[in-house]
Amino acid sequence: MPAIGYDPHDAATRTNPWPLYQLLRDEAPVLHMAPNGADGEEFYVLSRYDDVVMALRDNKRFSSHIRRGDFLDMPVLVNRDAPDHTRLRRVTNRALGPRVINPLTEWLQSVVDDLIKELLQEPEVEFVDRFTSTLPIRVVGGMLGFPPDRKADMMRWSRAVFEVFAVAGGTDPEQFPGFYEDFMALVNCVDQLASERVGCPHRGDILSDLAARESSGDVSHDELVGLGWSMLAAGSETTMYLLSGCMEMLLRDRALAERLTADPDRTEDLMNEYLRLYSPQQWVIRRANADIELHGTVIPEGSIVHLVLGAANRDPRQFPDPDVFDLDRPNKDDHMAFGGGRHFCPGSSLAQMVAGLAFRSLYQHLGRFSLDSTRPPRLRSGGPGNYGIEHMGVLISTPTAATC
């Protein structure tokens, strides 16, 4: 049998990783990979559900503090262990907790309604550009206090954040030309916005809250800036791919669309089963804190470990018929699209609230939408670990008595 290879940046693998994931789960549940470039590191790959869950929850043997003592040692949640992670997580939970986001429902609905109203005035749109990327950027950017006219910058900067994390995890930086310049532009923007708020009256946004935390000594200025740019990136990419993917599914499967339209309370089931099947973040990284033996292979202390969420979420040992979309799957909520353990995504509630409001508002108009065969959905083929539709042409018909 030929050697199994795993290159998370290969375009073919990125758009259709499922056959490789099955091979990994069945034949190489702990895969060792040599460095993928002059500046890369060797790493190990875990792909089975139980192994990935274990690694996400075992904070003693698997560290999230990937880089130490260099320019990529960033003071953000995903690159910290306790006690720093505990302190930063407490601040983040306050910024994104129910007491903050629940009162925003009316505003969030107005943002959704305005975007849908704009869509319905057009005969055709690039749906990702006009809706699924714009909505989370308006929401998260608005909550943070970013200028609303910086959408293009915010999208480019968000992608640079994920590229920085990939490089921090051992990926050859040559894979992502220009990533560092874009990342530093985001850091400088957040730094400027945060500095304007320190010692000033509250402006009603998250950066003002974080500035108050800096003044009280809860976070340093670097941590404040790190929380700001990481929230922007995490809050935009996952929601964009969730919105794009579910919309494409609804437009291809009219029976599913009719079922959701008739019973919008199943929207959470739609989103969770989609997230299980097509995790927007396909893998996360840990570093081994000790020698770890698993399935007869020893992962040496200090090694980078890829936890392949996308493979774990399709493990038949956990999910029967894992490659089938099943709205009635009883354990769909067991997916790990938002990670797990202490590092479970703190913005997951906001992402699902925004997407849920969007779908409930779109159902009544689905009869007017159809996929444009001349601009079919196109998956993202570049970048680190993200999976989802980045372009999708949609035709919008004029209203009729049946669709008004």
Side-chain angles (χ1 to χ4, degrees):
M1 178 179 177
I4 299 174
Y6 169 81
D7 180 359
H9 307 294
D10 175 70
T13 299
R14 285 183 51 74
T15 55
N16 184 29
W18 325 121
L20 173 60
Y21 288 172
Q22 180 179 346
L23 191 62
L24 289 173
R25 290 190 304 262
D26 292 344
E27 304 293 338
V30 182
L31 179 70
H32 173 244
M33 290 297 298
N36 61 356
D39 295 324
E41 288 188 54
E42 67 175 0
F43 61 97
Y44 291 77
V45 183
L46 303 186
S47 52
R48 290 184 181 175
Y49 184 89
D50 286 346
D51 297 335
V52 172
V53 168
M54 175 274 297
L56 288 172
R57 294 176 178 173
D58 189 342
N59 302 295
K60 292 183 178 180
R61 294 192 300 166
F62 292 90
S63 171
S64 297
H65 199 163
I66 306 301
R67 298 296 285 254
R68 299 174 185 268
D70 64 9
F71 76 103
L72 289 173
D73 185 4
M74 298 170 289
V76 291
L77 281 169
V78 296
N79 190 53
R80 285 293 181 267
D81 297 324
D84 286 338
H85 176 271
T86 305
R87 176 174 51 81
L88 294 175
R89 181 67 184 234
R90 188 180 302 116
V91 172
T92 303
N93 287 345
R94 288 171 180 164
L96 297 174
R99 285 189 293 181
V100 173
I101 65 174
N102 287 343
L104 298 177
T105 302
E106 184 176 345
W107 172 69
L108 294 172
Q109 186 66 62
S110 70
V111 175
V112 169
D113 291 343
D114 288 346
L115 285 176
I116 293 176
K117 182 178 179 180
E118 293 172 12
L119 288 179
L120 296 177
Q121 295 173 354
E122 304 290 340
E124 59 183 52
V125 294
E126 206 300 302
F127 196 75
V128 175
D129 176 61
R130 291 292 299 275
F131 190 80
T132 70
S133 64
T134 300
L135 176 57
I137 283 292
R138 282 194 186 179
V139 169
V140 179
M143 290 177 66
L144 282 165
F146 275 77
D149 60 350
R150 302 296 296 271
K151 178 200 169 185
D153 289 333
M154 285 188 276
M155 288 299 302
R156 189 177 71 257
W157 293 342
S158 294
R159 293 192 172 189
V161 169
F162 288 95
E163 292 165 355
V164 166
F165 289 147
V167 172
T171 299
D172 184 352
E174 294 299 323
Q175 294 269 358
F176 313 117
F179 80 95
Y180 189 68
E181 290 79 8
D182 285 339
F183 173 66
M184 289 309 302
L186 171 57
V187 171
N188 291 334
C189 180
V190 176
D191 181 45
Q192 178 182 344
L193 293 173
S195 297
E196 292 171 355
R197 287 159 171 77
V198 174
C200 295
H202 200 289
R203 300 187 185 185
D205 53 46
I206 290 176
L207 284 180
S208 293
D209 285 337
L210 295 178
R213 299 292 176 191
E214 179 187 359
S215 298
S216 65
D218 291 337
V219 296
S220 69
H221 186 74
D222 285 347
E223 289 171 336
L224 183 165
V225 173
L227 288 170
W229 57 253
S230 59
M231 285 181 188
L232 175 69
S236 58
E237 292 273 311
T238 297
T239 310
M240 177 182 73
Y241 292 131
L242 173 61
L243 288 165
S244 301
C246 284
M247 186 64 174
E248 189 262 355
M249 190 174 284
L250 291 168
L251 295 183
R252 286 198 186 279
D253 188 342
R254 289 298 180 179
L256 178 65
E258 291 173 3
R259 185 177 179 185
L260 269 297
T261 301
D263 190 2
D265 288 343
R266 299 300 303 274
T267 298
E268 282 68 31
D269 292 330
L270 167 72
M271 294 189 295
N272 278 311
E273 179 65 349
Y274 177 85
L275 288 167
R276 182 198 67 80
L277 198 60
Y278 301 108
S279 304
Q281 186 64 32
Q282 287 287 299
W283 45 267
V284 296
I285 298 172
R286 296 292 186 267
R287 193 179 287 277
N289 269 340
D291 289 352
I292 302 167
E293 184 173 357
L294 192 62
H295 301 296
T297 298
V298 175
I299 302 173
E301 180 179 359
S303 298
I304 289 288
V305 184
H306 278 228
L307 310 181
V308 188
L309 308 177
N313 283 339
R314 291 193 181 214
D315 189 342
R317 299 162 186 82
Q318 177 70 18
F319 303 103
D321 296 321
D323 297 327
V324 175
F325 177 89
D326 182 0
L327 193 68
D328 300 313
R329 185 181 298 277
N331 65 341
K332 66 179 74 66
D333 295 357
D334 293 340
H335 71 80
M336 291 180 287
F338 291 116
R342 292 179 181 175
H343 287 267
F344 185 82
C345 176
S348 60
S349 295
L350 176 62
Q352 293 183 89
M353 174 185 281
V354 171
L357 290 172
F359 290 125
R360 285 178 170 85
S361 300
L362 284 166
Y363 290 147
Q364 62 183 308
H365 304 294
L366 287 179
R368 294 181 58 184
F369 291 88
S370 61
L371 295 173
D372 185 350
S373 61
T374 67
R375 295 180 297 165
R378 187 171 80 235
L379 292 169
R380 186 178 180 185
S381 59
N386 301 113
Y387 180 92
I389 295 170
E390 66 175 359
H391 294 290
M392 182 168 71
V394 169
L395 304 177
I396 306 173
S397 64
T398 54
T400 65
T403 60
C404 286

